[in-house]
């Protein structure tokens, strides 16, 4: 291919490449995102989560699912939780996988308007799911049961009481 044609093709592809970067969900990696298990967790997550399509992210050991109202973000390698008085729920997936999650609303006095943080309890590396209020209102289906098969790659050291 002549040099001018290669340059024209490269320039034509730049806007498409930049558009792909612009649609990436911005997030921060967990402090233990380099744990090799996190790669297994992220690769095992579903392509669709409660009707939301997977989106690229800009951080290691993360993935997201989004629509026009926002994005649900999964981060692997977050700091494992110690003992807590926050609500802890055991969630069983259709395949029988059971995962314990600590559930925290951003505003306990207004749960309907809250963003939600779900963090695995007793698993290493720890996994966190961030669900904005707009998504929680429009997608009331539980996200956690669909993530059990991916989270089962982590090691269970303890569970909810």
């Amino acid at each position: 291919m002549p040099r001018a044609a290669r340059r024209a093709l490269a320039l034509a592809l730049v806007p498409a490449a930049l558009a792909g970067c612009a649609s990436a969900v911005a997030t921060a990696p967990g402090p233990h995102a380099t744990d090799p298990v996190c790669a297994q967790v992220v690769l095992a997550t579903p392509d669709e989560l409660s009707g939301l399509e997977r989106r690229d992210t800009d951080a290691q050991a993360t993935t997201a699912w989004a629509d026009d109202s926002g994005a649900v973000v999964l981060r692997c390698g977050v700091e494992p939780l110690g003992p807590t008085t926050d609500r802890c729920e055991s969630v069983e997936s259709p395949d029988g996988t059971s995962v314990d999650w600590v559930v925290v609303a951003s505003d306990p006095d207004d749960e309907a308007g809250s963003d939600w943080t779900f963090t695995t309890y007793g698993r290493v590396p720890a996994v966190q799911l961030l669900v904005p209020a707009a998504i929680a209102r429009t997608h009331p289906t539980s996200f956690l049961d669909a993530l059990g098969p991916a989270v089962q790659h982590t090691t269970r050291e303890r569970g909810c009481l």
Side-chain angles (χ1 to χ4, degrees), residues 96-142:
T97 303
S98 182
V99 176
D100 293 341
W101 297 88
V102 172
V103 182
V104 178
S106 62
D107 181 358
D109 295 327
D110 180 20
E111 288 190 352
S114 283
D115 296 331
W116 292 88
T117 302
F118 303 89
T119 307
T120 55
Y121 182 75
R123 289 193 172 260
V124 177
V127 176
Q128 186 176 72
L129 190 71
L130 307 169
V131 181
I135 295 283
R137 282 192 299 273
T138 59
H139 294 82
T141 303
S142 172

Side-chain angles (χ1 to χ4, degrees), residues 61-114:
T62 64
T63 193
W65 301 266
D67 67 10
D68 293 338
S69 60
V72 172
V73 176
L74 179 139
R75 299 181 338 131
C76 183
V78 298
E79 211 47 64
L81 298 175
T84 181
T85 57
D86 290 327
R87 183 172 68 185
C88 192
E89 300 280 334
S90 294
V91 178
E92 189 168 323
S93 298
D95 71 353
T97 303
S98 182
V99 176
D100 293 341
W101 297 88
V102 172
V103 182
V104 178
S106 62
D107 181 358
D109 295 327
D110 180 20
E111 288 190 352
S114 283

